[in-house]
Amino acid sequence: MPKVRRSRKPPPDGWELIEPTIEELDAKMREHETESHEGKRIVEAVWPIFKVHHQKSRYIYDLFYKRKAISRELYDYCLKEKIADANLIAKWKKDGYERLCCLRCIQVKDTNFGTNCICRVPREKLEEMKIVECVHCGCRGCSG
């Protein structure tokens, strides 16, 4: 199994604690990338990739901001090496975006009417017994 791509600079202290989880998520990502997409819509084929990307970024975010288990140096290293999505983490730090699934769901350019994605609508404002899935990432509701 290939190693996680890294720069020539060695990783900071604490990398050995998160490396197994990062490698496991990378393996899941490669598995979903090579998975057959027969019988799926075009957008459905990338949903598992979005979910693994979200998991990896959330893992780094939780370790640094919630549990305070990794150093600032290791956190910056993960962002610089693109192990975690810096823009998504920046949104998670803002009020109302703590459960955001992906950045495409808040980009108004991607919608016909210049609004957010349907997954950003609170469940109590949706119709009863209606299953809503985001077209972009397959999320079923990430509003606060």
Side-chain angles (χ1 to χ4, degrees):
M1 175 184 289
K3 290 276 187 188
V4 175
R5 67 180 189 280
R6 294 188 303 217
S7 61
R8 294 177 191 257
K9 184 179 174 187
D13 293 335
W15 172 252
E16 57 279 350
L17 298 174
I18 67 169
E19 187 177 23
T21 306
I22 298 297
E23 286 182 354
E24 179 184 325
L25 290 171
D26 281 341
K28 280 172 70 175
M29 179 78 81
R30 280 191 294 281
E31 181 181 311
H32 289 304
E33 287 171 350
T34 59
E35 189 176 83
S36 173
H37 57 274
E38 295 297 320
K40 294 181 181 177
R41 297 183 318 202
I42 294 173
V43 294
E44 286 179 0
V46 294
W47 289 355
I49 296 170
F50 271 108
K51 288 179 183 174
V52 172
H53 175 73
H54 179 275
Q55 283 178 341
K56 203 185 315 185
S57 296
R58 181 57 81 168
Y59 176 69
I60 299 297
Y61 172 81
D62 285 342
L63 284 177
F64 185 71
Y65 288 104
K66 303 289 184 193
R67 293 192 239 161
K68 312 247 186 265
I70 60 174
S71 65
R72 167 61 91 176
E73 185 182 0
L74 181 56
Y75 174 73
D76 289 339
Y77 176 82
C78 290
L79 295 182
K80 189 183 108 200
E81 295 295 321
K82 306 237 187 278
I83 295 169
D85 188 348
N87 294 325
L88 188 57
I89 290 175
K91 286 293 181 187
W92 285 338
K93 292 189 281 186
K94 295 182 179 180
D95 287 339
Y97 294 99
E98 296 89 3
R99 295 177 52 204
L100 181 66
C101 55
C102 71
L103 292 172
R104 290 186 67 192
C105 290
I106 58 172
Q107 290 176 347
V108 295
K109 294 177 187 174
D110 291 345
T111 60
N112 292 339
F113 301 107
T115 59
N116 287 337
C117 182
I118 189 69
C119 69
R120 297 295 299 157
V121 177
R123 289 190 192 270
E124 56 268 2
K125 292 188 177 182
L126 294 173
E127 296 175 19
E128 292 279 331
M129 302 298 291
K130 184 177 182 183
I131 297 173
V132 176
E133 279 186 339
C134 171
V135 178
H136 305 297
C137 62
C139 172
R140 293 190 176 191
C142 63
S143 63

